[in-house]
Amino acid sequence: MNNKGKLWEIEAANHLRKKKYKLISANYHTRFGEIDLIVANKKFICFVEVKQRDVNAIAQPKEFVDFSKQQKIISSAQLYLSANKTDLQPRFDVIEIYTKDNKINSIKHLENAF
């Protein structure tokens, strides 16, 4: 991942902290792939994919989390949950970061995205 990608993940984590989520892990790697962020609140443990696109892009960031990517995240989350027991309900979220001139224009948190 490039430095910009890391920056967007940090910004997404900060956005979630402001919404009272606790960061559990960043860049969680398994044999299936990577989960950008794992966060939790009082009810949910959330497996979060962070996607950034320019405000003028023809597709929304969430559209780049295709079925194949979703399956990799789900498989990675299952491995995480088998090693880390929790009473929290699992959920899969997407953070969309819209940028203009390489600066953040807006951040959208899509809960239960898939």
Side-chain angles (χ1 to χ4, degrees), residues 28-33 35 47 72-85:
Y28 180 77
H29 289 273
T30 73
R31 66 180 186 264
F32 300 111
I35 299 173
F47 301 93
K72 290 175 184 174
I73 294 168
I74 290 166
S75 296
S76 296
Q78 288 171 330
L79 276 181
Y80 177 87
L81 291 170
S82 69
N84 300 276
K85 299 295 181 207

Side-chain angles (χ1 to χ4, degrees), residues 1-12 97 102 104:
M1 168 173 297
N2 63 25
N3 288 339
K4 280 286 186 205
K6 289 276 186 238
L7 174 66
W8 306 137
E9 289 177 7
I10 291 167
E11 292 293 341
I97 298 180
N102 272 332
I104 293 177

Side-chain angles (χ1 to χ4, degrees), residues 27-41:
N27 306 114
Y28 180 77
H29 289 273
T30 73
R31 66 180 186 264
F32 300 111
E34 178 195 56
I35 299 173
D36 292 335
L37 301 172
I38 302 174
V39 299
N41 64 12

Side-chain angles (χ1 to χ4, degrees), residues 39-52:
V39 299
N41 64 12
K42 290 179 180 168
K43 289 184 181 178
F44 297 97
I45 181 166
C46 305
F47 301 93
V48 182
E49 178 68 8
V50 178
K51 288 292 181 192
Q52 171 272 331

Side-chain angles (χ1 to χ4, degrees), residues 102-114:
N102 272 332
K103 293 183 177 64
I104 293 177
N105 186 280
S106 66
I107 298 177
K108 285 186 185 173
H109 179 193
L110 307 174
E111 297 178 2
N112 211 22
F114 58 92

Side-chain angles (χ1 to χ4, degrees), residues 58-70:
I58 54 175
Q60 295 175 309
K62 68 182 176 187
E63 294 178 63
F64 293 90
V65 186
D66 61 12
F67 181 76
S68 173
K69 180 70 173 172
Q70 291 173 16

